[in-house]
Amino acid sequence: MATPQTKAADTYSPLYFLASLGAGGVTVSFFMFLMFWVPHAGRPVPIFEDIMAAFNTGDLPMRTAIVIAMAGIAYFAFTNLRLLAWNLSAFSAFKKTEGYQNLITSNAESTILAMPLAMAMTVNGLFIVGLVFVPGLWGVVEYLFPLALIAFALIGVQAFMLIGRFLGRVLSKGGVFDVTAHNSFAQLLPAFAVSMVAVGFSAPAAMSTNPATVGVSLVLSTFLGVIAIIYTMLAAASAISSMLQHGTAREASPTLMIIIPIVTVLGIMFLRQNHGLHTTLEVHGSDGETMIFLTRLLAIQLGFLGLGAVVLKAQGYFADFVVGSKTSPGSYALICPAVALSVMIHFFVNKGLVASGLIAKFDVAYWSISGLAILSQIVAIVLIIRLGRQHFGHQTAVAIPAE
């Protein structure tokens, strides 16, 4: 992706934080190669030493996968940071404009939640970078977990302050919230932000051996995870009612698939919690139960993928906003579903089908299903490149605001 130019800044929207978020998500998708293909006995995640040992002793396919994964993680983590820095600068300038005042008095005020969402993803991405590239990190990881919890707590406070300002405004008096403009899943963005903070809080539960750290991780991630689920259900139910009456807002139609990344993020949170319950609190679940749990999550995702695809095709969205010349910041909402589906398929295959004994690791069935995860990852990368050229290139295009 080219360095952001003035084209996007001229029509800035907080939804451009989703560009940074998407790059961070692709970073995670490359980590799945290492997570499930590199042996890491005795640890919940692979670290630098495990990766180097696998590279030195592995065959050509293993070495190739490691090189691709590490290169992908390095590039997209850097892209994630670069786009986050650009967005923070652009948003600071945007706050001084009349457009910002119009934003915070409309339904679109909730789009500001894309900022803490992207920031939480960046913290998750940086932890992956540390695991993959920093030798000896695991020896001091217990000291890093409290720092990570503090970072996520600060991001969570920011997210709830933004949500509180929005809900306080629209719920304190009638007529403020435009129900006719609620005809998309754009209002699920706050739930997505809270769920991203929740999955960050859950990481120490899966990786720490300190009972106090695990306990704090379990409690905080549960609080935020439950709030995210409730917010998702209420916002989605009210949005569906508006969509049935007014149709789906064309520029915001990619948000119909926002359920997919929310499900992946919360699903990983539950898996991390279960690991902490197992290793620290002696609460044991079976691999078969995990397989059924992941199957249910994947079924939800495929359902909303189909719904989004049907509406996007009917509205001709891709022809105009992806392969065409028009631009809409809401287009960046297409990247997260592709990334999230890729990550979920990896977990479904490895933590579900392989762990329960239904298929063997690295057999034909394994690669057939894992190939779908890689295909979804490629789609996300192509979208990042294409949208980057559209929104941050020099060519002229028509910018259309999205809720």
Side-chain angles (χ1 to χ4, degrees), residues 1 4 12 14-28 76-88 114-123 125 196 332 335-336 339 384 392:
M1 182 186 297
Y12 184 76
L15 289 176
Y16 279 118
F17 276 102
L18 298 181
S20 174
L21 175 72
V26 173
T27 302
V28 175
F76 284 101
F78 173 76
T79 302
N80 164 256
L81 287 170
R82 179 169 54 80
L83 288 173
L84 179 64
W86 176 82
N87 269 283
L88 290 172
M115 178 169 57
L117 171 61
M119 293 171 66
M121 172 58 82
T122 296
V123 176
M196 187 63 72
Y332 275 99
I335 299 172
C336 290
V339 171
I384 288 176
F392 299 118

Side-chain angles (χ1 to χ4, degrees), residues 84-116:
L84 179 64
W86 176 82
N87 269 283
L88 290 172
S89 176
F91 181 73
S92 178
F94 177 64
K95 289 180 68 174
K96 302 173 185 178
T97 67
E98 183 180 351
Y100 175 76
Q101 297 304 317
N102 294 332
L103 180 80
I104 61 175
T105 56
S106 69
N107 291 15
E109 182 183 6
S110 61
T111 62
I112 301 176
L113 269 298
M115 178 169 57

Side-chain angles (χ1 to χ4, degrees), residues 30-67:
F30 276 109
F31 183 68
M32 294 296 99
F33 295 5
L34 306 177
M35 177 75 177
F36 295 119
W37 302 346
V38 171
H40 47 93
R43 279 182 291 269
V45 291
I47 60 175
F48 175 82
E49 288 77 8
D50 298 320
I51 298 167
M52 290 300 99
F55 183 84
N56 291 329
T57 61
D59 54 16
L60 181 61
M62 174 64 78
R63 292 185 177 187
T64 302
I66 290 174
V67 170

Side-chain angles (χ1 to χ4, degrees), residues 29-239:
S29 70
F30 276 109
F31 183 68
M32 294 296 99
F33 295 5
L34 306 177
M35 177 75 177
F36 295 119
W37 302 346
V38 171
H40 47 93
R43 279 182 291 269
V45 291
I47 60 175
F48 175 82
E49 288 77 8
D50 298 320
I51 298 167
M52 290 300 99
F55 183 84
N56 291 329
T57 61
D59 54 16
L60 181 61
M62 174 64 78
R63 292 185 177 187
T64 302
I66 290 174
V67 170
I68 292 173
M70 295 184 73
I73 290 170
Y75 176 79
F76 284 101
F78 173 76
T79 302
N80 164 256
L81 287 170
R82 179 169 54 80
L83 288 173
L84 179 64
W86 176 82
N87 269 283
L88 290 172
S89 176
F91 181 73
S92 178
F94 177 64
K95 289 180 68 174
K96 302 173 185 178
T97 67
E98 183 180 351
Y100 175 76
Q101 297 304 317
N102 294 332
L103 180 80
I104 61 175
T105 56
S106 69
N107 291 15
E109 182 183 6
S110 61
T111 62
I112 301 176
L113 269 298
M115 178 169 57
L117 171 61
M119 293 171 66
M121 172 58 82
T122 296
V123 176
N124 285 314
L126 288 176
F127 193 79
I128 287 176
V129 170
L131 291 175
V132 173
F133 293 104
V134 180
L137 183 69
W138 199 251
V140 297
V141 73
E142 289 293 348
Y143 299 100
L144 299 179
F145 288 140
L147 298 178
L149 290 173
I150 292 172
F152 283 115
L154 293 174
I155 296 172
V157 169
Q158 181 195 42
F160 279 112
M161 288 178 64
L162 293 171
I163 293 172
R165 186 178 70 178
F166 173 67
L167 293 181
R169 179 175 64 83
V170 301
L171 296 178
S172 60
K173 54 185 177 180
V176 176
F177 187 80
D178 186 357
V179 178
T180 62
H182 185 33
N183 52 340
S184 71
F185 279 172
Q187 293 302 330
L188 271 66
L189 193 58
F192 191 7
V194 174
S195 65
M196 187 63 72
V197 177
V199 76
F201 272 134
S202 69
M207 303 180 201
S208 177
T209 57
N210 185 307
T213 301
V214 172
V216 171
S217 173
L218 287 171
V219 171
L220 292 179
S221 60
T222 298
F223 278 154
L224 270 70
V226 170
I227 292 172
I229 292 171
I230 294 173
Y231 203 115
T232 298
M233 294 174 64
L234 293 176
S238 59

